């Protein structure tokens, strides 16, 4: 009887008698391999859960600033204006992102703040424009 290279599973040949024992050996080997892979995946998931990101969408309220509560303090936040493709802001903890005069985006405790930092109503490049949809991704 031949065996597979990696898991050494039994491969009955055309002339081998039909027997249950080799099939049961295969099942035992497969179960052991699956359990080993599952344990390895569980440890990798634990590591990944400690380093995650959150994404979402919020609507600008037009106020001077708006707090977006994430429930954790991110290391970095990227905000993209849904309708103005060329305007994206990135803030890293300890550093804010500016939009000309003023701050457009900043990391704060438990989330981030977006600001309406445009110097005039004719410039529509702020991160808190009233009624506008903005997408974000925050990294721990």
């Amino acid at each position: 009887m031949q065996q597979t290279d990696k898991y050494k599973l039994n491969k009955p040949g055309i002339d081998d008698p039909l027997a249950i024992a080799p099939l049961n050996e295969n099942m035992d080997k497969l179960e052991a391999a699956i359990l080993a892979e599952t344990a390895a995946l569980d440890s990798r998931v634990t590591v990944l859960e400690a380093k995650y990101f959150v994404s979402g969408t919020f609507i600008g309220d037009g106020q001077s600033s708006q707090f977006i509560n994430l429930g954790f303090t991110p290391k970095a936040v990227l905000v993209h204006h849904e309708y103005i493709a060329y305007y994206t802001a990135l803030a890293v903890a300890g550093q804010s992102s500016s939009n000309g005069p003023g701050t457009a985006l900043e990391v704060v405790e438990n989330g981030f703040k977006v600001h309406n930092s445009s110097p005039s109503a004719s410039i529509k490049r702020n991160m808190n424009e009233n009624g506008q949809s903005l997408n974000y991704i925050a990294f721990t």
Side-chain angles (χ1 to χ4, degrees), residues 4-25:
T4 61
D5 292 332
K6 185 171 183 177
Y7 292 108
K8 304 298 180 203
L9 299 174
N10 297 313
K11 292 173 58 177
I14 198 114
D15 295 329
D16 290 334
L18 180 60
I20 300 298
L23 297 176
N24 286 341
E25 287 175 24

Side-chain angles (χ1 to χ4, degrees), residues 10 33 36 38 40 42 56 63 85 89 93 110 115-116 131 134 136:
N10 297 313
T38 301
D42 284 347
Q63 300 299 310
N110 290 318
H115 299 277
N116 186 350
L134 296 111
Y136 67 87

Side-chain angles (χ1 to χ4, degrees), residues 25-64:
E25 287 175 24
N26 284 349
M27 293 302 145
D28 291 340
K29 289 176 184 177
L30 288 172
E31 183 175 39
I34 290 169
L35 287 173
E37 290 295 324
T38 301
L41 286 174
D42 284 347
S43 67
R44 288 173 45 193
V45 167
T46 301
V47 169
L48 288 174
E49 285 176 343
K51 299 177 182 184
Y52 67 99
F53 66 91
V54 173
S55 64
T57 301
F58 67 92
I59 304 297
D61 64 10
Q63 300 299 310
S64 62

